[in-house]
Amino acid sequence: MNKFEAKREQSREHIMGVALTLFAETGYEKTTIRMIAQQAQISLGLLYNYYPGKDELLKEIYLKGRQEMNAALLPDGDTNPKNDIQHYILTTFRILKRNRPFWKLLYGIRMQSPVIQQLETEMHTDTKRVQDRIQDYLVNAGLPFPGLETKLLFATIDGIANHFLLHENYPVDDIVNLLLLKYQART
Amino acid sequence: MNKFEAKREQSREHIMGVALTLFAETGYEKTTIRMIAQQAQISLGLLYNYYPGKDELLKEIYLKGRQEMNAALLPDGDTNPKNDIQHYILTTFRILKRNRPFWKLLYGIRMQSPVIQQLETEMHTDTKRVQDRIQDYLVNAGLPFPGLETKLLFATIDGIANHFLLHENYPVDDIVNLLLLKYQART
Amino acid sequence: MNKFEAKREQSREHIMGVALTLFAETGYEKTTIRMIAQQAQISLGLLYNYYPGKDELLKEIYLKGRQEMNAALLPDGDTNPKNDIQHYILTTFRILKRNRPFWKLLYGIRMQSPVIQQLETEMHTDTKRVQDRIQDYLVNAGLPFPGLETKLLFATIDGIANHFLLHENYPVDDIVNLLLLKYQART
Amino acid sequence: MNKFEAKREQSREHIMGVALTLFAETGYEKTTIRMIAQQAQISLGLLYNYYPGKDELLKEIYLKGRQEMNAALLPDGDTNPKNDIQHYILTTFRILKRNRPFWKLLYGIRMQSPVIQQLETEMHTDTKRVQDRIQDYLVNAGLPFPGLETKLLFATIDGIANHFLLHENYPVDDIVNLLLLKYQART
DNA sequence: CATGAATGAGACTTCATTCAT
DNA sequence: TATGAATGAAGTCTCATTCAT
């Protein structure tokens, strides 16, 4: 009973990993269900035993990746935040590096996939929480346009992430350090 | 003869415009050739008279968009550049707003489409020229890490562009102004 | 223009005929789209140019068959009915024999196909009109239970039709004659 | 040993009942083995322990239903028939009402399923016995066309049965009574 | 007896592209 | 130039059935 469930969950994760890699590398649309099954060493039909379809697979991948990010950014029940800008930036890129394929996939299709767009809006409240906290911090720091500053910071981080995912050998750590310097100097 | 060619060119542009809009809105893979023909009010066969295939259409769209950007950023044969950072940033966003669908398409598929990836590497020299010029400027400004600063600036611009394309009502002008302030202050 | 439309309609009817035969002979579920295309001597894709799917094909077949029946039973704008029972019975079986595959298909799947069941309820008003007219006639004939008599008559006709479609060499004409005798004698 | 067999038989009957209901309600083709197993609260594999396949399941259902009908219509070893028309009609509908799903299934697929068609021809002798007895009765009653009268009667019964199965709230008892009246009056 | 993981043939459908007119 | 009929490879998904445990 429990035996089946454990194995099932294991198989699901295996498939998800394979699918994620292929989606990120080959593109979501170009990746066929057959390719995923072959790469995962299972039959076509079995894949459908675990996931009802290609879209659902994408959804689960997305949700799991987002959860990981949220878990890292909103730690221990919100009490004692201590998440200043430095912590946010560093955490973001740590996670980015830890699960590169996921972010490559996400950045690669968030503009073209209605599935992802819908999920993004559904997840909006979570990301908003993080943004608000950063903004509070910038307000306290006494910046003249805290709202715009927050948006600019997020845009910058997103841009660095994008280039990091796009180019091999991108000196992400140096760039991030430079960014940190700018926000340290200012506070 | 010349008249024929002019009309042909006009038709090609019309088709290209329709295709661009659809690619940006619906996604490249999801957009079918049939949709383009219908929207352009021509028959399926005629479309193939103008373009040999879907990929070629995408390529031409890409090349034209890039040329427009390059033309704006590398004006009048490179002589008398006068393109300091401010000019670069403003020009970038002016073009972005002028041809939003194109950039939405480009940002939307540059990570997933091998066609675009190939073209991007082919175009690499052009973009490199622009980057070098910015870097020269920052070197002259005496910044400690001009190479990293350049990369950070491009990442920031890309990030702002991304968010501008992603979200309706994004206060792009204010953000850009804030960015300009930072680079004015520093020089 | 008109040329295309004419040919298109012709092709549609050809496909419909082939599909009808196969549905009636092989069963709706067992008949594959491929079989229809092959029998109709067209490619798989072309079939979808004419009909959006298997169900739609069935729907059109059904509607066309029903219309033929209705046209025969509700002639010249309802004025001067003159359709006594004899006329109704004879007409019914004339049409049945003229389009045997259709009725074999209809009787064969009306109990199992939700598609047909939905259409049957949608067409209910038409069949009701015919039934009402028969019932009026039986009322005028002074039968004690005209409502039940009508239902019994329709059940009998349906039963004969069923057996006619089910068994080769069924002496349908003799049976129908016998039925006519019974209703003549009574009036 | 006997106890094991009894339990096995019980399980088989349970599965058969579930399958019958689903076949009748959802349609034979549309009903999947999985649905049957789930509804019967057993695993997929176990179902195959009891029945070798979907077709066999249908066959057994058919044979059991037919046997029940035959048992009711050909009682106590054929001696002392006493089966006049009235008895036949009443018995038929009593059984129909007792096992509605079975008859709904049978009427629903006898025209489309080769499996059933084969079984029907195999069972032909049994039904023929019943028909012959009715015909004998009608011969004795001195009707002018006893063969046709028999066929007409069976068609009528089949038609009523069909409508009864097809329409909720069909006044089957009243209709049957009316039918009985007609055959009483004539003898 | 009992489970559900696993298989794979085959169904429906889409769509870029070609071609006769 | 212009049309849309025609093709068929390829994609997604289903499901009866088998098998290891």
Side-chain angles (χ1 to χ4, degrees), chain A residues 5-46:
Chain A
E5 283 176 16
K7 185 164 186 189
R8 186 176 179 83
E9 198 47 42
Q10 198 182 330
S11 292
R12 281 177 60 91
E13 296 219 354
H14 175 54
I15 292 170
M16 215 166 88
V18 169
L20 170 53
T21 308
L22 284 171
F23 286 164
E25 223 112 293
T26 320
Y28 175 72
E29 303 283 355
K30 290 259 179 53
T31 303
T32 69
I33 290 283
R34 218 172 220 93
M35 285 163 70
I36 300 171
Q38 261 169 17
Q39 196 77 13
Q41 309 253 42
I42 61 172
S43 73
L44 200 52
L46 187 52

Short mmCIF file of all heavy atoms in Angstrom, two decimals, chain A residues 5-46:
data_model
loop_
_atom_site.label_atom_id
_atom_site.label_comp_id
_atom_site.label_asym_id
_atom_site.label_seq_id
_atom_site.Cartn_x
_atom_site.Cartn_y
_atom_site.Cartn_z
N GLU A 5 2.72 3.73 -3.06
CA GLU A 5 2.73 5.20 -3.07
C GLU A 5 4.15 5.76 -3.10
O GLU A 5 4.44 6.72 -3.80
CB GLU A 5 1.99 5.73 -1.84
CG GLU A 5 0.48 5.65 -2.00
CD GLU A 5 -0.25 6.09 -0.74
OE1 GLU A 5 0.40 6.74 0.12
OE2 GLU A 5 -1.44 5.78 -0.60
N ALA A 6 5.02 5.14 -2.33
CA ALA A 6 6.40 5.63 -2.30
C ALA A 6 7.02 5.50 -3.68
O ALA A 6 7.62 6.44 -4.20
CB ALA A 6 7.20 4.82 -1.27
N LYS A 7 6.84 4.34 -4.27
CA LYS A 7 7.42 4.14 -5.60
C LYS A 7 6.81 5.10 -6.61
O LYS A 7 7.49 5.63 -7.47
CB LYS A 7 7.20 2.69 -6.04
CG LYS A 7 7.89 2.39 -7.35
CD LYS A 7 8.01 0.92 -7.62
CE LYS A 7 8.85 0.69 -8.87
NZ LYS A 7 8.81 -0.72 -9.29
N ARG A 8 5.53 5.28 -6.45
CA ARG A 8 4.84 6.17 -7.38
C ARG A 8 5.42 7.58 -7.30
O ARG A 8 5.72 8.20 -8.32
CB ARG A 8 3.35 6.20 -7.05
CG ARG A 8 2.53 6.97 -8.05
CD ARG A 8 1.04 6.89 -7.75
NE ARG A 8 0.30 7.67 -8.72
CZ ARG A 8 -0.05 7.24 -9.90
NH1 ARG A 8 0.29 6.03 -10.29
NH2 ARG A 8 -0.71 8.01 -10.74
N GLU A 9 5.61 8.04 -6.09
CA GLU A 9 6.12 9.40 -5.94
C GLU A 9 7.54 9.50 -6.52
O GLU A 9 7.90 10.50 -7.16
CB GLU A 9 6.13 9.78 -4.45
CG GLU A 9 6.24 11.27 -4.22
CD GLU A 9 5.29 12.06 -5.09
OE1 GLU A 9 4.11 11.64 -5.26
OE2 GLU A 9 5.71 13.08 -5.64
N GLN A 10 8.29 8.44 -6.30
CA GLN A 10 9.64 8.43 -6.83
C GLN A 10 9.63 8.50 -8.36
O GLN A 10 10.37 9.27 -8.97
CB GLN A 10 10.31 7.14 -6.36
CG GLN A 10 11.83 7.15 -6.46
CD GLN A 10 12.39 5.80 -6.03
OE1 GLN A 10 11.79 5.13 -5.19
NE2 GLN A 10 13.53 5.42 -6.60
N SER A 11 8.76 7.70 -8.94
CA SER A 11 8.67 7.70 -10.40
C SER A 11 8.23 9.07 -10.91
O SER A 11 8.76 9.59 -11.89
CB SER A 11 7.67 6.64 -10.85
OG SER A 11 8.16 5.35 -10.59
N ARG A 12 7.28 9.65 -10.23
CA ARG A 12 6.80 10.97 -10.65
C ARG A 12 7.94 11.98 -10.65
O ARG A 12 8.09 12.77 -11.57
CB ARG A 12 5.68 11.43 -9.72
CG ARG A 12 4.34 10.79 -10.03
CD ARG A 12 3.30 11.24 -9.02
NE ARG A 12 3.10 12.68 -9.02
CZ ARG A 12 2.21 13.33 -9.75
NH1 ARG A 12 1.41 12.65 -10.54
NH2 ARG A 12 2.11 14.64 -9.71
N GLU A 13 8.74 11.93 -9.60
CA GLU A 13 9.83 12.90 -9.52
C GLU A 13 10.86 12.65 -10.63
O GLU A 13 11.41 13.59 -11.20
CB GLU A 13 10.48 12.83 -8.14
CG GLU A 13 9.52 13.21 -7.03
CD GLU A 13 10.21 14.04 -5.96
OE1 GLU A 13 11.44 14.19 -6.04
OE2 GLU A 13 9.50 14.52 -5.05
N HIS A 14 11.11 11.39 -10.87
CA HIS A 14 12.05 11.06 -11.94
C HIS A 14 11.58 11.63 -13.27
O HIS A 14 12.32 12.31 -14.00
CB HIS A 14 12.22 9.55 -12.03
CG HIS A 14 13.09 9.11 -13.15
ND1 HIS A 14 14.36 9.58 -13.36
CD2 HIS A 14 12.85 8.24 -14.18
CE1 HIS A 14 14.89 9.02 -14.43
NE2 HIS A 14 13.99 8.21 -14.96
N ILE A 15 10.33 11.37 -13.57
CA ILE A 15 9.76 11.87 -14.82
C ILE A 15 9.83 13.39 -14.87
O ILE A 15 10.21 13.99 -15.88
CB ILE A 15 8.30 11.41 -14.95
CG1 ILE A 15 8.25 9.89 -15.15
CG2 ILE A 15 7.62 12.11 -16.12
CD1 ILE A 15 6.86 9.31 -15.05
N MET A 16 9.49 14.01 -13.75
CA MET A 16 9.49 15.46 -13.72
C MET A 16 10.88 16.01 -14.01
O MET A 16 11.02 16.98 -14.76
CB MET A 16 9.02 15.93 -12.34
CG MET A 16 8.20 17.20 -12.39
SD MET A 16 7.36 17.46 -10.81
CE MET A 16 8.61 18.35 -9.94
N GLY A 17 11.87 15.38 -13.42
CA GLY A 17 13.23 15.84 -13.67
C GLY A 17 13.61 15.73 -15.14
O GLY A 17 14.15 16.68 -15.73
N VAL A 18 13.30 14.60 -15.72
CA VAL A 18 13.62 14.40 -17.13
C VAL A 18 12.89 15.43 -17.98
O VAL A 18 13.47 16.06 -18.87
CB VAL A 18 13.24 12.97 -17.56
CG1 VAL A 18 13.30 12.84 -19.07
CG2 VAL A 18 14.13 11.96 -16.90
N ALA A 19 11.62 15.60 -17.69
CA ALA A 19 10.82 16.54 -18.47
C ALA A 19 11.38 17.95 -18.34
O ALA A 19 11.51 18.67 -19.33
CB ALA A 19 9.37 16.49 -18.01
N LEU A 20 11.72 18.32 -17.12
CA LEU A 20 12.26 19.66 -16.91
C LEU A 20 13.50 19.90 -17.76
O LEU A 20 13.62 20.90 -18.46
CB LEU A 20 12.59 19.85 -15.43
CG LEU A 20 13.38 21.10 -15.08
CD1 LEU A 20 12.69 22.33 -15.63
CD2 LEU A 20 13.57 21.22 -13.59
N THR A 21 14.41 18.95 -17.72
CA THR A 21 15.63 19.09 -18.51
C THR A 21 15.31 19.24 -19.99
O THR A 21 15.84 20.14 -20.67
CB THR A 21 16.53 17.86 -18.30
OG1 THR A 21 16.72 17.65 -16.91
CG2 THR A 21 17.86 18.06 -18.99
N LEU A 22 14.45 18.39 -20.47
CA LEU A 22 14.13 18.46 -21.89
C LEU A 22 13.41 19.76 -22.25
O LEU A 22 13.72 20.39 -23.26
CB LEU A 22 13.28 17.25 -22.30
CG LEU A 22 14.06 15.95 -22.44
CD1 LEU A 22 13.12 14.78 -22.64
CD2 LEU A 22 15.01 16.05 -23.63
N PHE A 23 12.47 20.14 -21.43
CA PHE A 23 11.75 21.39 -21.69
C PHE A 23 12.74 22.55 -21.76
O PHE A 23 12.65 23.42 -22.63
CB PHE A 23 10.72 21.66 -20.60
CG PHE A 23 9.50 20.80 -20.68
CD1 PHE A 23 8.64 20.69 -19.59
CD2 PHE A 23 9.20 20.08 -21.83
CE1 PHE A 23 7.51 19.90 -19.65
CE2 PHE A 23 8.07 19.27 -21.89
CZ PHE A 23 7.23 19.19 -20.80
N ALA A 24 13.66 22.57 -20.82
CA ALA A 24 14.60 23.69 -20.76
C ALA A 24 15.55 23.67 -21.94
O ALA A 24 15.89 24.71 -22.50
CB ALA A 24 15.38 23.63 -19.45
N GLU A 25 15.97 22.48 -22.33
CA GLU A 25 16.99 22.36 -23.36
C GLU A 25 16.40 22.47 -24.76
O GLU A 25 16.91 23.19 -25.62
CB GLU A 25 17.67 20.98 -23.22
CG GLU A 25 19.15 21.05 -23.37
CD GLU A 25 19.82 20.73 -22.02
OE1 GLU A 25 19.67 21.55 -21.07
OE2 GLU A 25 20.45 19.68 -21.93
N THR A 26 15.32 21.74 -24.96
CA THR A 26 14.78 21.61 -26.32
C THR A 26 13.63 22.58 -26.58
O THR A 26 13.24 22.77 -27.73
CB THR A 26 14.29 20.16 -26.53
OG1 THR A 26 15.21 19.27 -25.91
CG2 THR A 26 14.21 19.83 -28.01
N GLY A 27 13.11 23.13 -25.54
CA GLY A 27 11.91 23.96 -25.69
C GLY A 27 10.68 23.14 -25.38
O GLY A 27 10.60 21.97 -25.72
N TYR A 28 9.72 23.78 -24.76
CA TYR A 28 8.52 23.04 -24.34
C TYR A 28 7.77 22.46 -25.52
O TYR A 28 7.42 21.28 -25.55
CB TYR A 28 7.61 23.97 -23.54
CG TYR A 28 6.29 23.34 -23.15
CD1 TYR A 28 6.24 22.36 -22.18
CD2 TYR A 28 5.10 23.72 -23.78
CE1 TYR A 28 5.04 21.77 -21.83
CE2 TYR A 28 3.89 23.14 -23.43
CZ TYR A 28 3.87 22.17 -22.45
OH TYR A 28 2.68 21.58 -22.11
N GLU A 29 7.53 23.27 -26.52
CA GLU A 29 6.72 22.81 -27.65
C GLU A 29 7.44 21.74 -28.44
O GLU A 29 6.82 20.79 -28.92
CB GLU A 29 6.37 23.99 -28.56
CG GLU A 29 5.65 25.14 -27.87
CD GLU A 29 4.18 24.83 -27.64
OE1 GLU A 29 3.71 23.78 -28.10
OE2 GLU A 29 3.51 25.65 -26.98
N LYS A 30 8.71 21.92 -28.59
CA LYS A 30 9.47 20.96 -29.40
C LYS A 30 9.68 19.63 -28.69
O LYS A 30 9.97 18.62 -29.32
CB LYS A 30 10.83 21.57 -29.76
CG LYS A 30 10.77 22.72 -30.75
CD LYS A 30 11.15 22.26 -32.15
CE LYS A 30 11.08 23.38 -33.16
NZ LYS A 30 11.85 24.56 -32.75
N THR A 31 9.60 19.66 -27.38
CA THR A 31 9.76 18.41 -26.64
C THR A 31 8.50 17.57 -26.76
O THR A 31 7.42 18.04 -26.43
CB THR A 31 10.04 18.71 -25.16
OG1 THR A 31 11.20 19.52 -25.05
CG2 THR A 31 10.26 17.42 -24.40
N THR A 32 8.63 16.35 -27.21
CA THR A 32 7.45 15.50 -27.33
C THR A 32 7.36 14.58 -26.12
O THR A 32 8.36 14.27 -25.47
CB THR A 32 7.52 14.63 -28.59
OG1 THR A 32 8.55 13.66 -28.44
CG2 THR A 32 7.81 15.47 -29.82
N ILE A 33 6.15 14.17 -25.88
CA ILE A 33 5.91 13.24 -24.79
C ILE A 33 6.75 11.98 -24.99
O ILE A 33 7.26 11.40 -24.02
CB ILE A 33 4.41 12.88 -24.76
CG1 ILE A 33 3.60 14.10 -24.31
CG2 ILE A 33 4.15 11.70 -23.86
CD1 ILE A 33 3.67 14.35 -22.84
N ARG A 34 6.88 11.58 -26.24
CA ARG A 34 7.68 10.41 -26.54
C ARG A 34 9.12 10.60 -26.09
O ARG A 34 9.74 9.69 -25.52
CB ARG A 34 7.64 10.16 -28.05
CG ARG A 34 7.58 8.72 -28.41
CD ARG A 34 7.35 8.48 -29.88
NE ARG A 34 6.42 7.38 -30.09
CZ ARG A 34 5.14 7.50 -30.24
NH1 ARG A 34 4.58 8.69 -30.21
NH2 ARG A 34 4.38 6.44 -30.42
N MET A 35 9.67 11.77 -26.34
CA MET A 35 11.05 12.03 -25.93
C MET A 35 11.18 11.90 -24.42
O MET A 35 12.15 11.32 -23.92
CB MET A 35 11.45 13.45 -26.36
CG MET A 35 11.72 13.61 -27.84
SD MET A 35 11.69 15.35 -28.35
CE MET A 35 13.18 15.96 -27.56
N ILE A 36 10.23 12.44 -23.71
CA ILE A 36 10.30 12.36 -22.25
C ILE A 36 10.27 10.91 -21.79
O ILE A 36 11.07 10.49 -20.97
CB ILE A 36 9.13 13.15 -21.62
CG1 ILE A 36 9.19 14.62 -22.03
CG2 ILE A 36 9.17 13.03 -20.11
CD1 ILE A 36 7.98 15.41 -21.63
N ALA A 37 9.34 10.15 -22.37
CA ALA A 37 9.22 8.75 -21.97
C ALA A 37 10.52 8.00 -22.28
O ALA A 37 11.02 7.24 -21.44
CB ALA A 37 8.04 8.11 -22.70
N GLN A 38 11.05 8.23 -23.46
CA GLN A 38 12.28 7.53 -23.81
C GLN A 38 13.42 7.89 -22.86
O GLN A 38 14.12 7.02 -22.34
CB GLN A 38 12.68 7.88 -25.25
CG GLN A 38 12.26 6.81 -26.25
CD GLN A 38 12.40 7.27 -27.67
OE1 GLN A 38 13.08 8.25 -27.97
NE2 GLN A 38 11.74 6.58 -28.58
N GLN A 39 13.57 9.18 -22.63
CA GLN A 39 14.65 9.63 -21.76
C GLN A 39 14.46 9.08 -20.34
O GLN A 39 15.43 8.74 -19.67
CB GLN A 39 14.65 11.17 -21.72
CG GLN A 39 15.92 11.76 -21.16
CD GLN A 39 17.06 11.71 -22.17
OE1 GLN A 39 16.84 11.46 -23.35
NE2 GLN A 39 18.27 11.95 -21.70
N ALA A 40 13.22 8.97 -19.94
CA ALA A 40 12.94 8.46 -18.58
C ALA A 40 12.92 6.95 -18.54
O ALA A 40 12.69 6.36 -17.49
CB ALA A 40 11.60 9.01 -18.09
N GLN A 41 13.16 6.34 -19.69
CA GLN A 41 13.23 4.87 -19.78
C GLN A 41 11.92 4.20 -19.41
O GLN A 41 11.92 3.11 -18.83
CB GLN A 41 14.33 4.34 -18.85
CG GLN A 41 15.66 5.04 -19.04
CD GLN A 41 16.66 4.15 -19.75
OE1 GLN A 41 16.32 3.44 -20.71
NE2 GLN A 41 17.89 4.17 -19.30
N ILE A 42 10.84 4.85 -19.72
CA ILE A 42 9.56 4.21 -19.48
C ILE A 42 8.74 4.25 -20.76
O ILE A 42 9.09 4.94 -21.71
CB ILE A 42 8.76 4.90 -18.36
CG1 ILE A 42 8.47 6.35 -18.77
CG2 ILE A 42 9.50 4.83 -17.05
CD1 ILE A 42 7.54 7.04 -17.83
N SER A 43 7.68 3.50 -20.77
CA SER A 43 6.85 3.46 -21.97
C SER A 43 5.96 4.69 -22.03
O SER A 43 5.71 5.35 -21.02
CB SER A 43 6.00 2.22 -21.98
OG SER A 43 4.96 2.34 -21.04
N LEU A 44 5.48 4.95 -23.21
CA LEU A 44 4.61 6.10 -23.43
C LEU A 44 3.40 6.06 -22.51
O LEU A 44 3.04 7.04 -21.85
CB LEU A 44 4.17 6.08 -24.89
CG LEU A 44 3.66 7.35 -25.49
CD1 LEU A 44 4.63 8.46 -25.25
CD2 LEU A 44 3.46 7.15 -26.98
N GLY A 45 2.78 4.89 -22.48
CA GLY A 45 1.56 4.77 -21.70
C GLY A 45 1.79 5.00 -20.22
O GLY A 45 0.96 5.61 -19.54
N LEU A 46 2.91 4.53 -19.74
CA LEU A 46 3.17 4.66 -18.30
C LEU A 46 3.27 6.13 -17.90
O LEU A 46 2.83 6.51 -16.81
CB LEU A 46 4.45 3.93 -17.94
CG LEU A 46 4.74 3.85 -16.45
CD1 LEU A 46 3.54 3.30 -15.70
CD2 LEU A 46 5.95 2.99 -16.19
#
